[in-house]
């Protein structure tokens, strides 16, 4: 469910970094975060995004992960609840990815989001 | 109509004699200075001299009736001496024919001493006398004045002048109105003797390029007996003085020399071998590294220098165009970029190759053409020149490299044959898209068009009778190089039409059509062996054939399936061809590179940022 109460489109999920999670813009929606795993104590998994900021993942899986992973889950006020983990390997160009999602969520958001999500 | 010019008129006018209404040709008309005054070079078909148009006659030039090669009748004139030289002032004239071809090959009356050789002529006050004060205030500099030394030899007339070293002019000073000149230069290129035969007759000719100390070069050609006389005497790379010959405007289509004129040497030509002059450069080279050739467009003319590491035997080919037999030889050249390439030599150059390049010498090849035959290769032209161990610094560099590392570096060596596989990497900015092919009507010019685009393979036409390949000759050596078609005989042997040998098996090479699609459009394209192997993960056509013969058609299908919907950067040649009486634009893949998503993303982000 989106913050405004409409159904989230099937297969569509915003790609976020730490800045995208905080502020509640996408709160309640299924989102994707990609980052480098910093720590995982079974309760909380920390990912570092392309800006170097940290993202909190709750209820993580307790399995071995590659250095870079993608977590798809439910976005909360300042964390993401884990649903699915995708292994992305040990080499990933975080900088290029970060630039891309910043464009997606910023300058070119019209191309990616319906009007209600546009800032 | 061919007009009769009044021959002998110029000689008499030079001597300040009276001539009644001579018909002359104005072989050159030019405005001088900033005022409206016109200089005219007057010819009687045998000799020419300087003239000036009296200002009352300016109208003829202004309205276009008097121009280059116009035939005129001079009704009133006077001859003045200007700085010791006779100049005709035209006072009254009539135009006979404005447009006319140049009549005869007039010589400069001033330098041919016409004034002195006239029979029973009155005294010629012009020569030997101190230059009188300029008459009528008509002082002007005369660029047509010949550059021979004037009074430095005392009273000797033009005929008795000493020639030789002091008379050398720079090539840039040569012009068709100056007959006595000597240039000194190095022969930087000596072409082969060529025979011609047309309606007017037949003969032989050869050309040389001469480079002088000023850095300018000029082409000179010898015909018939002169060609036979000088061909065996003149040697490339040596320095000579050249005296005598006709100058004419060069044809830029064939003549790539810097000078706008070219020389036709004749019977009066004298050529002397002189000591080498360091001021005259050996040759102006712009060497490219062999490893860079894969990114040079075919048809480009370049220079290279390298070690000749192999020479093929001379073979003979019948030219499709002329039906003549041509001698051909292929060299493999290696340079210090540790890349090698084949270069084809023709005719005389091919004949002498085995002897000239024996022993792996360093050789410079100037003005050779890049071809996409066999990936990348080079072809020599008639204007190419070859220098063994040339006197340039690169020679030593390459020799040292070869002696120290050359032979050992064979394992890492790159070969330019099959360089088409690596492709001709167009930069991201230069890339186009599939719809560009149709939108820009590519392929309709004389020469093929090339483009790069990013696309996805959407379909491969692999289901051809016998397999998506053709049987090729297993002979790796010349002239087949694994590429010539072979045919199967009744007892399952393979016969090659090129090398005439029989083989138990053939070397299958892929050839098939596929469709490439991007977000603008879709196109058919043809893939040859090198690209197909890349596409199919390195599986050779012979291996694929094995799967089929073993009944494993599933593996065959799988391998093609894997290639579908993969992203590549294609380098293609587009050309329209006749196919079954129809003109069709064909796209052929010459290179393909897998899309590197990281690099591509970076380029895309940059492009977006610049939007």
């Amino acid at each position: 469910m989106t913050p405004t109460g409409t159904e989230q489109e099937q297969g569509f999920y915003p790609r976020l970094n730490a800045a995208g999670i905080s502020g509640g813009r996408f709160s309640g929606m299924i989102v994707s975060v990609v980052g480098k795993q910093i720590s995982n104590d079974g309760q909380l998994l920390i990912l570092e995004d392309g800006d170097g900021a940290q993202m909190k993942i709750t209820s993580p899986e307790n399995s071995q992960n590659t250095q870079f992973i993608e977590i798809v889950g439910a976005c909360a006020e300042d964390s993401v609840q884990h649903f699915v983990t995708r292994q992305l390997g040990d080499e990933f160009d975080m900088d290029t990815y970060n630039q891309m999602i910043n464009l997606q969520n910023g300058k070119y958001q019209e191309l990616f989001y319906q009007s209600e999500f546009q800032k | 109509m061919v007009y009769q010019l009044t021959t002998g008129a110029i000689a008499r006018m030079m001597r300040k004699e009276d001539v009644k209404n001579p018909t002359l040709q104005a072989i050159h008309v030019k405005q001088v200075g900033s005022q409206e005054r016109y200089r005219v070079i007057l010819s009687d078909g045998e000799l020419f001299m300087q003239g000036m148009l009296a200002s009352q006659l300016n109208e003829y030039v202004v309205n276009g009736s008097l121009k280059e090669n116009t035939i005129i009748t001079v009704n009133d004139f006077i001859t003045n001496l200007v700085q010791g030289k006779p100049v005709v002032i035209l006072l009254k004239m009539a135009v006979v024919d404005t447009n006319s071809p140049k009549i005869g090959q007039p010589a400069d009356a001033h330098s041919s001493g016409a004034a002195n050789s006239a029979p029973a002529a009155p005294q010629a006050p012009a020569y030997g006398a101190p230059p009188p004060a300029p008459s009528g205030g008509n002082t002007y500099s005369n660029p047509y004045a010949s550059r021979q030394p004037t009074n430095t030899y005392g009273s000797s007339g033009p005929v008795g002048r000493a020639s030789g070293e002091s008379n050398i002019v720079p090539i840039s000073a040569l012009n068709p109105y100056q007959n006595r000149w000597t240039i000194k230069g190095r022969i930087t290129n000596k072409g082969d003797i060529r025979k011609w035969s047309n309606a007017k007759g037949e003969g032989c000719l050869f050309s040389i390029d001469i480079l002088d100390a000023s850095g300018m070069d000029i082409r000179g050609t010898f015909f018939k007996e002169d060609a036979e006389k000088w061909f065996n005497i003149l040697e490339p790379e040596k320095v000579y003085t050249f005296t005598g010959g006709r100058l004419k405007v060069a044809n830029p289509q064939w003549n790539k020399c810097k000078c706008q004129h070219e020389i036709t040497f004749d019977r009066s030509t004298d050529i002397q071998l002189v000591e080498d002059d360091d001021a005259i450069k050996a040759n102006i080279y712009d060497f490219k590294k062999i490893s860079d050739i894969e990114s040079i467009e075919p048809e480009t003319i370049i220079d290279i220098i390298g070690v000749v590491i192999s020479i093929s035997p001379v073979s003979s080919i019948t030219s499709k165009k002329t039906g003549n037999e041509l001698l051909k030889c292929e060299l493999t050249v290696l340079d210090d970029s540790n890349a090698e390439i084949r270069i084809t030599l023709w005719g005389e150059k091919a004949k002498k190759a085995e002897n000239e390049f024996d022993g792996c010498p360093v050789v410079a090849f100037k003005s050779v053409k890049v071809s996409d035959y066999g990936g990348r290769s080079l072809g020599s032209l008639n204007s190419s020149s070859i220098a063994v161990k040339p006197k340039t610094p690169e020679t030593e560099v390459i020799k040292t490299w070869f002696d120290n590392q050359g032979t050992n570096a064979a394992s890492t060596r790159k070969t330019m044959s099959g360089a088409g596989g690596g492709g001709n990497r167009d930069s991201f900015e230069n890339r186009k898209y599939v719809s560009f092919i149709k939108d820009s009507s590519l392929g309709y010019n004389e020469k093929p068009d090339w483009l790069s685009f990013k696309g996805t393979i959407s379909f491969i036409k692999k289901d051809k009778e016998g397999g998506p390949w053709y049987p090729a000759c297993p002979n790796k050596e010349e002239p087949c190089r694994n590429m010539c078609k072979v045919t199967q005989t009744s007892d399952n042997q393979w016969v090659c039409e090129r090398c005439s040998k029989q083989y138990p098996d053939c070397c299958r090479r892929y050839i098939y059509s596929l469709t490439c699609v991007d977000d603008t459009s879709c196109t058919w394209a043809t893939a040859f062996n090198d690209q197909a192997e890349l596409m199919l993960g390195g599986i050779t056509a012979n291996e694929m054939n094995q799967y089929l013969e073993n009944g494993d058609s599933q593996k065959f299908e799988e391998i093609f399936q894997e290639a579908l919907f993969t992203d590549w950067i294609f380098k293609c040649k587009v050309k329209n061809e006749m196919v079954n009486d129809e003109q069709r634009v064909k796209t052929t893949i010459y290179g393909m590179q897998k899309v590197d998503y990281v690099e591509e993303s970076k380029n895309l982000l940059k492009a977006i940022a610049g939007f």
Side-chain angles (χ1 to χ4, degrees):
Chain A
M1 198 80 96
T2 69
T4 51
T6 50
E7 278 293 321
Q8 182 171 354
E9 214 178 292
Q10 267 281 19
F12 158 76
Y13 43 84
R15 295 182 164 277
L16 305 181
N17 49 18
I21 300 174
S22 63
R25 178 177 166 198
F26 298 99
S27 174
M29 293 182 67
I30 313 281
V31 301
S32 149
V33 289
V34 169
K36 184 157 95 172
Q37 184 173 320
I38 301 291
S39 69
N40 182 2
D41 65 5
Q43 303 279 31
L44 190 65
L45 185 150
I46 309 280
L47 286 180
E48 185 187 75
D49 74 5
D51 290 325
Q54 296 195 341
M55 304 181 285
K56 297 202 200 97
I57 313 295
T58 54
S59 322
E61 234 173 36
N62 220 340
S63 51
Q64 269 291 69
N65 290 327
T66 59
Q67 235 193 5
F68 293 94
I69 53 177
E70 177 187 19
I71 306 277
V72 177
C75 189
E77 282 296 325
D78 64 350
S79 62
V80 174
Q81 186 189 13
H82 169 278
F83 284 178
V84 182
T85 307
R86 292 194 183 124
Q87 311 292 336
L88 296 177
D90 293 323
E91 277 177 33
F92 192 85
D93 191 336
M94 282 306 303
D95 185 49
T96 303
Y97 181 80
N98 205 45
Q99 280 185 53
M100 183 192 79
I101 60 176
N102 281 336
L103 287 175
Q104 243 185 344
N105 296 329
K107 189 170 174 196
Y108 295 103
Q109 54 185 301
E110 298 181 346
L111 300 176
F112 295 92
Y113 297 109
Q114 290 160 342
S115 45
E116 60 202 86
F117 293 104
Q118 292 169 22
K119 270 198 272 188
Chain B
M1 258 190 87
V2 180
Y3 292 92
Q4 279 287 75
L5 302 180
T6 311
T7 47
I10 295 290
R12 289 160 67 190
M13 288 156 93
M14 285 285 283
R15 296 193 297 268
K16 294 188 97 183
E17 284 175 35
D18 196 24
V19 187
K20 283 268 177 285
N21 303 322
T23 303
L24 301 172
Q25 183 171 38
I27 57 176
H28 195 71
V29 180
K30 186 181 166 178
Q31 181 169 9
V32 285
S34 47
Q35 318 129 311
E36 219 194 81
R37 296 301 320 268
Y38 293 96
R39 178 202 323 288
V40 182
I41 311 261
L42 299 162
S43 153
D44 66 2
E46 286 181 348
L47 297 173
F48 67 79
M49 69 181 290
Q50 309 295 327
M52 286 297 291
L53 205 62
S55 43
Q56 67 252 31
L57 301 181
N58 281 352
E59 184 57 20
Y60 285 102
V61 179
V62 171
N63 72 21
S65 54
L66 172 60
K67 55 183 200 178
E68 185 139 329
N69 292 335
T70 298
I71 314 276
I72 61 172
T73 302
V74 181
N75 301 117
D76 194 7
F77 75 95
I78 59 166
T79 308
N80 274 345
L81 288 177
V82 180
Q83 291 171 356
K85 298 184 191 75
V87 175
V88 163
I89 313 290
L90 300 169
L91 300 171
K92 199 155 167 229
M93 61 170 261
V95 172
V96 177
D97 196 19
T98 298
N99 296 304
S100 171
K102 182 173 166 183
I103 296 176
Q105 302 265 35
D108 189 346
H110 180 66
S111 62
S112 59
N116 286 349
S117 59
Q123 283 319 297
Y127 297 97
S135 50
N138 278 355
T139 29
Y140 53 87
S141 63
N142 188 350
Y144 286 105
S146 36
R147 283 169 186 75
Q148 299 119 6
T150 42
N151 295 324
T152 42
Y153 290 88
S155 56
S156 60
V159 180
R161 189 177 52 250
S163 61
E165 290 280 327
S166 45
N167 209 19
I168 291 178
V169 302
I171 288 178
S172 48
L174 293 176
N175 64 74
Y177 302 108
Q178 183 182 349
N179 265 9
R180 282 243 141 94
W181 46 260
T182 301
I183 56 172
K184 175 174 158 186
R186 190 188 305 276
I187 295 183
T188 53
N189 182 28
K190 180 180 163 192
D192 286 342
I193 278 225
R194 285 191 290 164
K195 298 195 177 45
W196 88 81
S197 142
N198 56 28
K200 292 198 204 147
E202 57 173 30
C204 61
L205 68 97
F206 80 99
S207 295
I208 55 173
D209 292 344
I210 306 165
L211 172 69
D212 76 354
S214 74
M216 174 153 295
D217 60 348
I218 188 170
R219 171 153 299 179
T221 307
F222 299 85
F223 291 92
K224 298 189 183 172
E225 301 90 3
D226 304 311
E228 286 168 24
K229 170 177 166 192
W230 292 106
F231 188 74
N232 292 320
I233 299 177
L234 298 178
E235 288 173 61
E237 301 305 311
K238 293 219 160 77
V239 180
Y240 298 85
T241 53
F242 303 82
T243 307
R246 287 236 173 278
L247 286 155
K248 60 173 188 172
V249 177
N251 181 342
Q253 199 186 6
W254 304 113
N255 184 344
K256 306 278 179 215
C257 290
K258 290 210 196 95
C259 188
Q260 50 173 313
H261 293 108
E262 55 182 67
I263 308 172
T264 301
F265 292 113
D266 53 30
R267 230 151 299 173
S268 73
T269 298
D270 182 42
I271 304 176
Q272 305 278 346
L273 175 66
V274 295
E275 245 180 55
D276 204 292
D277 186 347
D278 280 329
I280 304 173
K281 290 211 202 77
N283 226 318
I284 313 163
Y285 290 111
D286 179 17
F287 293 122
K288 298 273 179 263
K289 286 275 171 252
I290 293 180
S291 58
D292 291 339
I293 297 180
E294 72 176 334
S295 39
I296 297 182
E297 286 283 347
E299 310 292 313
T300 314
I301 299 196
I302 62 169
D303 305 336
I304 61 158
I305 182 169
V307 179
V308 175
I309 57 176
S310 86
I311 311 170
S312 78
V314 177
S315 60
S316 161
I317 289 194
T318 313
S319 161
K320 284 186 204 133
K321 273 193 242 165
T322 64
N324 288 340
E325 252 203 54
L326 294 170
L327 289 175
K328 175 176 134 159
C329 163
E330 289 202 10
L331 311 174
T332 307
V333 181
L334 167 71
D335 74 359
D336 54 348
S337 64
N338 203 21
E340 61 180 46
I341 192 165
R342 304 183 105 90
I343 172 166
T344 307
L345 303 182
W346 303 92
E348 280 302 311
K349 294 190 179 97
K351 248 201 239 165
K352 296 192 260 175
E354 209 182 325
N355 291 329
E356 291 216 354
F357 308 126
D358 187 36
C360 297
V362 176
V363 180
F365 298 86
K366 185 173 166 68
S367 300
V368 289
K369 190 158 87 161
V370 178
S371 158
D372 56 23
Y373 180 72
R376 278 291 179 275
S377 55
L378 297 171
S380 69
L381 312 165
N382 206 40
S383 54
S384 305
S385 69
I386 303 177
V388 180
K389 302 199 196 114
K391 292 193 205 103
T392 73
E394 287 88 351
T395 306
E396 201 44 54
V397 171
I398 299 216
K399 182 151 187 352
T400 317
W401 175 84
F402 186 69
D403 290 340
N404 295 336
Q405 308 155 286
T407 37
N408 296 336
S411 52
T412 44
R413 182 158 308 152
K414 225 161 68 151
T415 172
M416 287 294 114
S417 46
N424 204 346
R425 245 151 273 194
D426 265 341
S427 66
F428 181 82
E429 289 80 18
N430 282 340
R431 269 199 251 143
K432 303 281 184 286
Y433 26 85
V434 178
S435 60
F436 189 79
I437 300 176
K438 283 236 175 67
D439 290 348
S440 312
S441 304
L442 289 190
Y444 287 100
N445 300 321
E446 278 253 357
K447 289 222 173 95
D449 289 313
W450 294 82
L451 86 159
S452 288
F453 60 85
K454 180 173 68 179
T456 307
I457 298 176
S458 53
F459 174 72
I460 300 178
K461 196 158 162 200
K462 56 177 170 45
D463 296 315
K464 183 183 101 172
E465 178 80 38
W469 47 69
Y470 74 93
C473 182
N475 188 352
K476 275 201 214 127
E477 301 297 314
E478 300 295 320
C480 303
R481 276 194 274 141
N482 277 150
M483 291 210 275
C484 294
K485 205 161 156 199
V486 295
T487 36
Q488 202 170 17
T489 62
S490 45
D491 54 349
N492 278 339
Q493 294 281 309
W494 297 90
V495 167
C496 173
E497 44 191 48
R498 205 61 184 307
C499 62
S500 315
K501 290 212 205 104
Q502 255 202 1
Y503 301 93
D505 194 17
C506 64
C507 175
R508 286 165 192 82
R509 291 177 68 84
Y510 290 111
I511 177 165
Y512 55 74
S513 299
L514 55 131
T515 50
C516 303
V517 64
D518 71 357
D519 34 63
T520 63
S521 181
C522 173
T523 180
W524 281 98
T526 310
F528 287 102
N529 198 60
D530 293 338
Q531 281 68 46
E533 276 186 17
L534 252 181
M535 209 184 291
L536 300 173
I539 312 282
T540 65
N542 274 346
E543 286 171 351
M544 285 294 239
N545 186 55
Q546 249 341 91
Y547 291 130
L548 285 184
E549 287 193 351
N550 294 344
D552 196 355
S553 58
Q554 194 186 1
K555 188 89 174 113
F556 177 87
E557 296 291 326
E558 246 175 50
I559 292 171
F560 276 102
Q561 189 71 16
E562 283 288 312
L564 287 183
F565 298 106
T566 50
D567 300 329
W568 302 83
I569 309 207
F570 295 99
K571 174 80 184 183
C572 295
K573 178 174 96 167
V574 182
K575 183 89 186 74
N576 72 325
E577 289 170 1
M578 281 299 266
V579 177
N580 299 337
D581 294 336
E582 235 183 65
Q583 281 277 0
R584 278 242 205 110
V585 175
K586 278 197 83 177
T587 305
T588 314
I589 304 174
Y590 271 78
M592 35 197 291
Q593 254 178 291
K594 260 233 155 186
V595 172
D596 175 348
Y597 294 109
V598 177
E599 199 187 308
E600 188 67 12
S601 302
K602 290 204 172 87
N603 280 323
L604 287 170
L605 282 169
K606 224 193 315 178
I608 293 173
F611 199 63

